[in-house]
Amino acid sequence: MTSATHRRPARAGTPAPEPAPTGRGSEIGRRMVLTLALTCAVAVGTVYFPQSISPLIAAGLHVPPDAAALAVTAVQAGYTAGIFLLVPLGDRLPPRPFLATLLALTGLSLLAAGCAPALPALIVAGALTGVTTVAAPIIAPLAAGLVPADRRGAVTGTLLSGSIGGMLLARTFSGTLGERLGWRAPYLVAAAVTLILAAVLALTLPATAPAARRPYPALIAESLRLLRTEPDLRRSCLYQACVFAGFSAVWTCLALLLTGPAYGLDAQAAGMLALVGGATMLCTPIAGRLVDRRGPGPVNLICLLGALTAAGVLLPGASGGAPGLAALTAGTLLLDVAMQSGMVANQARIFALRPDARSRLNTAYMTCAYLGGSAGSWLGTRAYEHAGWPGVCALAAALTALALARHVLTPPGRRPPRGTDTGDRLTEEQSANRPRKDRHVAPAMALPQPPRQKERDATRPAADSTGAGLVPAQTAGRRGPAGRARGCAGRATKPST
C-alpha cells in the first residue's frame, strides 16, 4: 500500500483525489451518523420550537402577543447571522472542539432564555441561541468528508432526515410541554439535551485536521467568491432558493387559508398538517442512495417536476371541505418530499466541488436558500392578498418552473475544463506533497494497427521521454537547435570511406 505522500501520479483528465481525513478513528460508522443526525435534529428544532409557545410567553410575561413574537424572530435572525459568520469556520477550526463549543454555548443560551425575567432578556438570549445553534450546516460538510464518495448521498439524506424531524417534532414537543409545565419548560429541557450532546460529541467525534488555514476575513469573503467562480454552486443555489421560496410561500399562507372562511379551523390545524411531512424523513435517505447511484442531476429533475406537480395538486384546496383538505394534505406532502430530496442532491453536488472548502460552500448555499425562503414568504403573502390561494399556487409553480428551465438548459454531466476554479482541489498540504505528474499523457483510445505495423513496433527499440533508445534518424526531429548544430558538425568532420 502506498503512502499518502507517494501516490502514483494521476493521469491527465482524472479528478483530483479528495483530502483524506486525518487522525485516529477518522472513519465514521452508522452509530456516529445517527448521533450526528440527532444533533442536527436538536439544533434545528431549537430554531422552530419557540413558535408554538409564543402565546404562552405572552401570557407568562404579561406582554402583547405581537411583542412576544419578537422572541421567535430573534432566534431566526440570529440563525441566519450564525450561518454566514460561523459556518465558514468549519474549514479552519478542528471540528470536534468547534462543534462541542457551539453546542455548549447553545445550551447555556437556552438556559438563560428559560430563566429570563422579562421579554428583553428573552429576546437577547434567543438571538444568542440562534447564532450558536448552527451545528447542522457544519455537520453536513464534515460528514461528507468522513465517508467514502459512494456513501455521501445516503449519509447526507440521513442527516437531513434528522433536521426535518427536529423541525417537525419541535413544535409538537414545545406545545405539549409548555401547556403542562409552562413556557420555560421547553427551554430548560432543550438546554439539558443540548449540553448532553455537547459532551457526547466531545468524546466520540473523530479528530480531524482543518482543511484550510486562511484568516477569518478571507473565509467570509471566500463564500462570496465561490458564488462567482463555481457555476455548479450557483446552479444548486438557484434550484434550492426557487423551490424553498415556493415552499415558504405555501406554508406561510396555509394558516391563513385554514383559519379563513373556506375551512374555519384554528391555528393548530396547520401544525397538525405539518406532521404529515414526517414521511419526508423516510424519503430523503432513499433520495441520497439514488444520488449515489445516478448522480444529482436526475434527482434534481425528478424533484423539480414533483414540486411543479405539487403546485397543481394544491390548487383545489381553495374549494374547502374534505376534498380540499385532502388536496392540501397530498400537495404539501409532495412539496415537502420534493424540496428536501432536492436539497440532498444539491448538497451532494456542491460538496464534490471543493473538498477543502465544504463549509464555505455550504455557507453560500444555505444563505441563498434562506434568502429565497424569506422572499417567498413575503411574495406569498402579497399573492394571497391579491389573488387568494390560487395566486399562491401560481407563484410556487412559476418559481419552480424557473429552476426547471435552468436545469433543462444545462446538459447533464457538463463539467468545466480542468485547471479552472470549479474542479476538485487538494488542500495546501496535499498539493505540496503531491508528486509531479509524468510529462506523457496517455491516449484516450489506441487505434487498431495492421499486422505488419505491429511486427515493426515489436522489433523497434523502446524510447523514454528523452528519446533514448531511438536511432539518430528518429531523434533528429526531437533535438533542439544546439543538437542539430552538433549533428551537422559531426557529419562534416567524419572521414569519407
Side-chain angles (χ1 to χ4, degrees):
M1 182 180 297
T2 58
S3 62
T5 58
H6 295 84
R7 294 191 186 99
R8 180 179 297 176
R11 290 185 178 183
T14 58
E18 298 185 5
T22 59
R24 291 185 299 177
S26 57
E27 293 285 341
I28 60 174
R30 181 171 180 82
R31 181 177 299 179
M32 191 70 242
V33 171
L34 294 179
T35 302
L36 294 177
L38 177 61
T39 305
C40 291
V42 173
V44 173
T46 300
V47 180
Y48 292 96
F49 83 78
Q51 295 177 352
S52 298
I53 59 175
S54 178
L56 300 177
I57 294 174
L61 296 179
H62 308 288
V63 296
D66 55 346
L70 293 176
V72 179
T73 305
V75 178
Q76 296 177 345
Y79 187 67
T80 305
I83 289 177
F84 185 75
L85 296 176
L86 296 182
V87 173
L89 288 174
D91 289 331
R92 190 177 190 273
L93 301 178
R96 183 167 65 183
F98 184 40
L99 281 173
T101 302
L102 286 178
L103 289 173
L105 292 175
T106 302
L108 294 176
S109 300
L110 289 169
L111 185 62
C115 300
L119 183 61
L122 179 60
I123 292 176
V124 173
L128 293 177
T129 300
V131 171
T132 56
T133 186
V134 291
I138 295 175
I139 287 175
L142 169 65
L146 293 179
V147 296
D150 57 351
R151 287 185 57 205
R152 187 171 298 148
V155 170
T156 302
T158 302
L159 297 178
L160 189 56
S161 295
S163 299
I164 296 170
M167 180 177 61
L168 297 177
L169 300 178
R171 300 184 181 97
T172 305
F173 153 77
S174 62
T176 303
L177 194 62
E179 288 289 347
R180 296 185 178 184
L181 302 177
W183 69 269
R184 299 181 187 272
Y187 282 99
L188 298 178
V189 173
V193 174
T194 305
L195 291 174
I196 292 174
L197 282 175
V200 170
L201 290 185
L203 296 175
T204 61
L205 190 65
T208 58
R213 297 181 177 86
R214 297 183 180 182
Y216 177 70
L219 292 176
I220 297 297
E222 179 77 2
S223 299
L224 300 176
R225 189 188 69 83
L226 288 171
L227 277 174
R228 186 181 72 254
T229 59
E230 299 287 355
D232 280 348
L233 175 60
R234 295 196 300 270
R235 173 185 175 189
S236 298
C237 290
L238 176 64
Y239 293 170
Q240 192 64 24
C242 290
V243 177
F244 193 45
F247 174 88
S248 300
V250 167
W251 279 102
T252 300
C253 300
L254 187 61
L256 301 176
L257 177 65
L258 293 177
T259 56
Y263 291 94
L265 300 176
D266 55 10
Q268 294 181 352
M272 296 302 296
L273 190 61
L275 293 179
V276 178
T280 311
M281 299 172 58
L282 304 177
C283 297
T284 48
I286 299 175
R289 289 190 290 270
L290 186 60
V291 170
D292 290 335
R293 292 195 300 266
R294 302 289 185 178
V299 177
N300 274 133
L301 179 60
I302 295 174
C303 293
L304 291 173
L305 292 175
L308 190 61
T309 305
V313 175
L314 289 167
L315 186 59
S319 60
L325 191 60
L328 292 179
T329 303
T332 52
L333 177 59
L334 181 58
L335 182 60
D336 286 358
V337 172
M339 193 273 290
Q340 302 291 355
S341 300
M343 187 171 183
V344 175
N346 291 328
Q347 287 188 316
R349 179 185 294 110
I350 66 172
F351 289 158
L353 294 176
R354 290 280 304 272
D356 61 322
R358 289 193 173 109
S359 291
R360 285 163 280 172
L361 289 165
N362 203 37
T363 297
Y365 173 76
M366 295 296 292
T367 302
C368 292
Y370 273 89
L371 288 176
S374 301
S377 298
W378 185 83
L379 291 173
T381 304
R382 306 284 85 77
Y384 191 81
E385 290 177 356
H386 292 86
W389 184 250
V392 177
C393 296
L395 174 64
L399 291 170
T400 306
L402 177 62
L404 183 61
R406 173 65 177 84
H407 183 73
V408 171
L409 294 177
T410 302
R414 181 180 178 182
R415 297 289 296 174
R418 290 283 299 170
T420 63
D421 289 327
T422 57
D424 290 342
R425 293 165 175 83
L426 298 175
T427 60
E428 297 174 359
E429 181 179 358
Q430 286 184 327
S431 297
N433 295 330
R434 187 181 181 186
R436 297 176 60 90
K437 292 184 179 181
D438 191 359
R439 296 180 180 178
H440 283 294
V441 178
M445 181 178 64
L447 297 177
Q449 297 179 348
R452 294 182 179 178
Q453 180 67 27
K454 291 182 179 180
E455 295 176 0
R456 289 194 297 268
D457 291 342
T459 58
R460 180 177 300 174
D464 58 9
S465 59
T466 61
L470 296 179
V471 295
Q474 291 172 310
T475 58
R478 307 183 62 160
R479 295 175 179 173
R484 287 194 295 269
R486 288 193 299 268
C488 294
R491 285 193 297 269
T493 57
K494 184 178 180 180
S496 57
T497 57

